[in-house]
Amino acid sequence: MDSNNIFFKIVVGVVLVGYMAFIFYQSLKGGLAYKKEFENFKNSHKHYETMVDGGYWVGVMVAMAVLAFVLMFMAPKLASNGQTYYYYLAYGCIGLVFLGLAIDSYTHRRIYFTEEGFFFEDTYYRYRMLANFEFKNGIVARNCNVLMSNRDKIVVTKKMGETLQEKQKAFKKAKKEHRK
């Protein structure tokens, strides 16, 4: 099939842009839910402690998105043999993916602690709900699966998991001392 065929270009464009737009939409939807629930959290919890683990990733992802969009607009200079359309398509999709990753990095690398629990992503959890911590010490993925008593599971960074464990122990200790 000839890659300059208009039908082929339209099909490839619709499939790629549709899929990348869906991925970006999912990230945006999660980011908007985070923003809404975080406002509710701030209104109901005046005193909280913020922890950001790897917040620089947001900046890295935004920089990569900007780079992809700059390369997209440079497509006429980069492309050869009438392939400009594919350069526009590829760099535009890559830029969308990096923007989605920036939103995900922002929401997944922040945790807010209170005396009774913590806010992560778009949900407030109580320390008493924490059942178990499973730390993964792989070469690439170093994270912690936090298992809840209601069988929910959240995935946080290893550093966040360790801090959660400490906060839960402090909560249990304070609760014990309060009973005495």
Side-chain angles (χ1 to χ4, degrees), residues 131-162:
N132 195 13
F133 296 87
E134 295 176 352
F135 289 95
K136 308 283 183 180
N137 291 320
I139 295 171
V140 176
R142 294 181 183 194
N143 57 20
C144 175
N145 294 330
V146 181
L147 306 173
M148 305 292 179
S149 57
N150 63 357
R151 300 188 189 222
D152 283 349
K153 177 177 89 169
I154 60 172
V155 180
V156 297
T157 65
K158 183 179 177 186
K159 189 175 177 183
M160 286 178 171
E162 290 168 348

Side-chain angles (χ1 to χ4, degrees), residues 36-53:
K36 178 184 171 196
E37 294 302 321
F38 182 64
E39 288 300 319
N40 294 338
F41 168 76
K42 282 194 322 188
N43 291 335
S44 60
H45 298 89
K46 300 299 180 203
H47 304 288
Y48 58 88
E49 178 186 337
T50 305
M51 178 183 181
V52 179
D53 184 23

